[in-house]
Amino acid sequence: MDSAMTTNTLKLPEKATKKRDWIETVFHLLFLGCAMVGVLSVATIAWFVFHEGLPAFQQAGISEIIFGREWLPPALFGIAPMIVASLISTLGAVIIGVPIAILTAVFLAELAPKWLANLVRPAVELLAGIPSVVYGFFGLVIIVPMIEVLFHIPAGNTILAGIIVLAIMILPTVITISETSLRALPSTYKEAALALGASHIYSIFRVLIPAARSGIYTGISLGVARAIGETMAIIMVMGNAPAMPGSLLEPARTLTANIAMEMSYATGIHASALYSTGIVLLVFIVLLNASLLYLNHKRSH
Amino acid sequence: MNKLTINNLDLFYGENHALKDISLNIPNRKVTALIGPSGCGKSTLLRTLNRMNDLVENVKITGDVHFDGEDIYQQSDVKALRKRVGMVFQKANPFPMSIFENVAFGLKAQGVKSTEEIKAVVEESLRSAALWDEVKDRLDSDAFGLSGGQQQRLCIARAIAMEPEVILMDEPTSALDPIATHKIEELMDELRKKFTIVIVTHSMNQAKRIADKTAFFWMGELVEHGETDQIFNNPIDTRTQGYVSGEFG
């Protein structure tokens, strides 16, 4: 009886251990597999876009495409106007949207009474969920006519309209991430600043925002990525003329709009030129992420 | 002469009666230690002295605290009060900026613009905090690069820079090793010549070493206070006796 029990207790853990090890391995592979989905997708997209876009670069020439000011397929494939339109509209959206977003985040994290924060926060989150085509409607119905009236121009479909719509679209991303990073700060920063006789507002601008900057940078870069990648709303409000814009009150076509509007009927080198537009977009996104890495790296040293 | 006079102070966090009818005098240019087991209210009392409890929601305070004869809860300018009553926290909490900027922070917050003046005060404060020789060649480097003890002395320098009259210390050495603790205690011996110091400490040996006066708290009550010698050698209350002899707490 005694010996039987001993063998039993010896056997059981061994079996259980083996089973645990096996489960351990399975989960390890499962996690690895999931992680690979993202990596493989990026690699596939990059390969595919480069593979399709390179022929246009080879035939039309890299500088002719990137610096060319005329887009007249199938003869000329200059996308400089689109590069300028994408950069200007994104930059404008950041200049208008980011300060509003950061101040909103500060308000929600530090200043707002609870009831008001509980009103503003869901509204902001709702903003994040609105489809971009609905933003396009909003732009068409409100922003575009407003620009026509304010600036006395016949057509309000302009870069400025795009900038305003994009600025609103990036708000929720920047607000939510900035607020989260402000809330994640240890309370000791705020206490230390207040205990030195600093005002609440001074503490916010000199201690809390700088301390939360890596999170705020992340929010901004996600906002920029959204602005530069936005297509539908931009097509609806920016006029889409493939010419170099002379001012914010002229229509323009972004890189994304160029691809979306012509892909359905483009063939041959024209199609390839659209893929090369995609290459330029990808390069911008990579540069954006690289600069974010650099900023956060610089901060931690 | 008393720098701070606390009269019949009661403090509630919501329903929790955290301080019960506290009356205590804090003498000028002396070190007063607040001791007692965790949760006895000693840190809470410390935080009423510079109104840091104002940050807590649902806090209710009755009674009064006089600072040089003026009731700090009647006076509306909390910033002016906190300029005169500095604080050093349990865990060294330098700001994520350079050593220089940490010490200069309070001055800049007060609107001091003159670079010369700020430089002079920063140097003097770092000297008073016995940190100058260790950091004078790297004032522009990040404060987080300092050791724990140096960070805590930096926080003391930051408080001194405001030229406060009182410095509140909330277990300033509890996160430090014995050598760093020794340095801070030596420093406090210097500081008591210029400042009134109130320190919360868990270490009875620390209270014995540095405090002129000691107050013992137990479950929100001030059980006994007096000369440090008397509290440790001839405690009147049996609870004080039990605590200082190490029987509980």
Side-chain angles (χ1 to χ4, degrees):
Chain A
M1 194 61 189
D2 256 351
S3 69
M5 258 180 74
T6 323
T7 45
N8 233 346
T9 46
L10 273 175
K11 253 184 193 169
L12 213 75
E14 199 182 323
K15 239 184 179 175
T17 311
K18 264 190 181 164
K19 196 179 169 198
R20 269 207 312 275
D21 285 352
W22 187 75
I23 291 173
E24 203 66 13
T25 314
V26 168
F27 268 92
H28 195 92
L29 290 174
L30 184 67
F31 291 135
L32 183 70
C34 290
M36 283 302 117
V37 172
V39 176
L40 283 178
S41 306
V42 166
T44 313
I45 289 170
W47 181 83
F48 173 72
V49 171
F50 272 88
H51 180 260
E52 297 290 325
L54 283 179
F57 278 136
Q58 281 162 357
Q59 288 184 39
I62 292 182
S63 67
E64 279 78 3
I65 289 183
I66 292 177
F67 301 111
R69 296 173 61 137
E70 304 287 337
W71 175 265
L72 292 169
L76 294 165
F77 296 103
I79 59 168
M82 287 80 139
I83 293 176
V84 169
S86 275
L87 291 182
I88 296 290
S89 58
T90 301
L91 187 72
V94 167
I95 289 172
I96 297 175
V98 165
I100 296 176
I102 292 178
L103 295 186
T104 308
V106 168
F107 181 70
L108 290 176
E110 281 293 319
L111 301 167
K114 242 185 198 149
W115 65 268
L116 189 53
N118 288 341
L119 204 74
V120 176
R121 202 174 295 118
V124 168
E125 279 159 13
L126 199 63
L127 208 55
I130 293 175
S132 62
V133 67
V134 177
Y135 277 97
F137 275 138
F138 163 74
L140 269 184
V141 175
I142 314 262
I143 308 291
V144 169
M146 206 173 73
I147 289 174
E148 286 165 8
V149 171
L150 277 177
F151 296 97
H152 308 291
I153 50 174
N157 302 59
T158 55
I159 298 184
L160 184 61
I163 286 175
I164 294 171
V165 170
L166 286 179
I168 298 167
M169 288 183 83
I170 67 172
L171 286 180
T173 316
V174 186
I175 291 171
T176 309
I177 294 177
S178 302
E179 191 204 343
T180 309
S181 58
L182 282 167
R183 282 188 185 280
L185 292 177
S187 62
T188 56
Y189 285 149
K190 185 177 162 185
E191 286 186 343
L194 294 179
L196 285 165
S199 71
H200 194 177
I201 300 294
Y202 189 88
S203 310
I204 286 169
F205 281 105
R206 291 305 166 94
V207 177
L208 301 185
I209 292 179
R213 69 186 154 205
S214 85
I216 294 175
Y217 286 153
T218 305
I220 294 173
S221 76
L222 288 176
V224 171
R226 177 156 196 203
I228 207 163
E230 178 48 41
T231 313
M232 182 51 84
I234 284 297
I235 290 177
M236 289 168 77
V237 302
M238 251 172 76
N240 306 316
M244 185 65 84
S247 81
L248 294 183
L249 294 175
E250 283 177 29
R253 180 188 288 192
T254 62
L255 294 164
T256 50
N258 196 39
I259 299 171
M261 294 199 325
E262 301 193 2
M263 205 67 230
S264 56
Y265 60 85
T267 52
I269 182 155
H270 182 192
S272 178
L274 294 178
Y275 281 103
S276 62
T277 312
I279 295 178
V280 174
L281 260 178
L282 263 184
V283 169
F284 280 141
I285 297 295
V286 169
L287 286 178
L288 177 69
N289 282 316
S291 55
L292 176 73
L293 275 179
Y294 172 75
L295 281 173
N296 283 342
H297 183 75
K298 206 173 73 173
R299 192 226 154 187
S300 59
H301 283 264
Chain B
M1 204 189 93
N2 293 322
K3 194 71 185 168
L4 287 156
T5 314
I6 302 159
N7 296 317
N8 307 105
L9 186 89
D10 280 271
L11 184 142
F12 300 82
Y13 290 129
E15 294 293 302
N16 177 16
H17 198 173
L19 291 174
K20 297 168 188 162
D21 195 26
I22 308 288
S23 293
L24 178 68
N25 294 330
I26 311 275
N28 195 17
R29 297 198 179 172
K30 296 262 196 265
V31 176
T32 303
L34 312 181
I35 63 168
S38 297
C40 68
K42 55 195 191 301
S43 286
T44 302
L45 180 66
L46 196 73
R47 283 164 169 263
T48 56
L49 302 181
N50 64 345
R51 293 186 57 177
M52 285 305 271
N53 279 325
D54 290 14
L55 299 181
V56 183
E57 262 178 81
N58 291 323
V59 68
K60 199 178 132 235
I61 298 166
T62 60
D64 51 66
V65 179
H66 284 90
F67 175 36
D68 277 347
E70 207 180 337
D71 188 344
I72 63 169
Y73 281 90
Q74 295 302 319
Q75 146 189 54
S76 59
D77 193 352
V78 182
K79 295 193 286 291
L81 170 73
R82 290 181 185 151
K83 191 179 159 301
R84 294 171 70 195
V85 182
M87 190 167 208
V88 176
F89 295 81
Q90 180 169 4
K91 201 167 165 283
N93 55 354
F95 299 125
M97 43 180 95
S98 72
I99 293 167
F100 184 92
E101 288 299 327
N102 260 281
V103 185
F105 180 88
L107 292 175
K108 290 188 176 174
Q110 295 299 321
V112 178
K113 292 270 189 290
S114 153
T115 331
E116 288 308 306
E117 193 186 338
I118 291 174
K119 266 188 185 163
V121 174
V122 168
E123 175 171 348
E124 199 194 311
S125 309
L126 285 168
R127 281 187 193 280
S128 306
L131 191 60
W132 175 253
D133 291 334
E134 291 159 61
V135 300
K136 63 179 179 221
D137 299 322
R138 47 170 173 153
L139 291 175
D140 289 328
S141 51
D142 198 38
F144 291 136
L146 298 172
S147 72
Q150 287 173 324
Q151 285 188 19
Q152 194 58 298
R153 276 180 283 146
L154 178 68
C155 292
I156 293 173
R158 187 172 68 181
I160 292 174
M162 300 308 293
E163 296 177 2
E165 293 152 57
V166 179
I167 301 178
L168 309 174
M169 298 188 169
D170 192 354
E171 297 182 40
T173 61
S174 64
L176 301 179
D177 64 55
I179 293 166
T181 300
H182 179 66
K183 274 194 177 157
I184 301 245
E185 288 180 6
E186 268 184 346
L187 172 61
M188 288 172 65
D189 216 33
E190 279 301 308
L191 295 178
R192 84 168 87 208
K193 294 171 188 162
K194 278 175 74 182
F195 306 100
T196 300
I197 296 176
V198 187
I199 178 173
V200 164
T201 178
H202 260 124
S203 155
M204 283 181 278
N205 285 326
Q206 182 167 61
K208 274 189 227 171
R209 284 192 299 262
I210 57 169
D212 303 293
K213 304 270 185 181
T214 296
F216 171 64
F217 290 81
W218 174 255
M219 297 177 77
E221 279 176 57
L222 172 56
V223 174
E224 189 172 352
H225 64 98
E227 298 294 325
T228 300
D229 272 350
Q230 180 255 311
I231 295 291
F232 284 99
N233 299 324
N234 295 304
I236 299 161
D237 195 284
T238 50
R239 289 171 292 179
T240 317
Q241 203 165 12
Y243 185 74
V244 300
S245 65
E247 276 174 36
F248 60 87

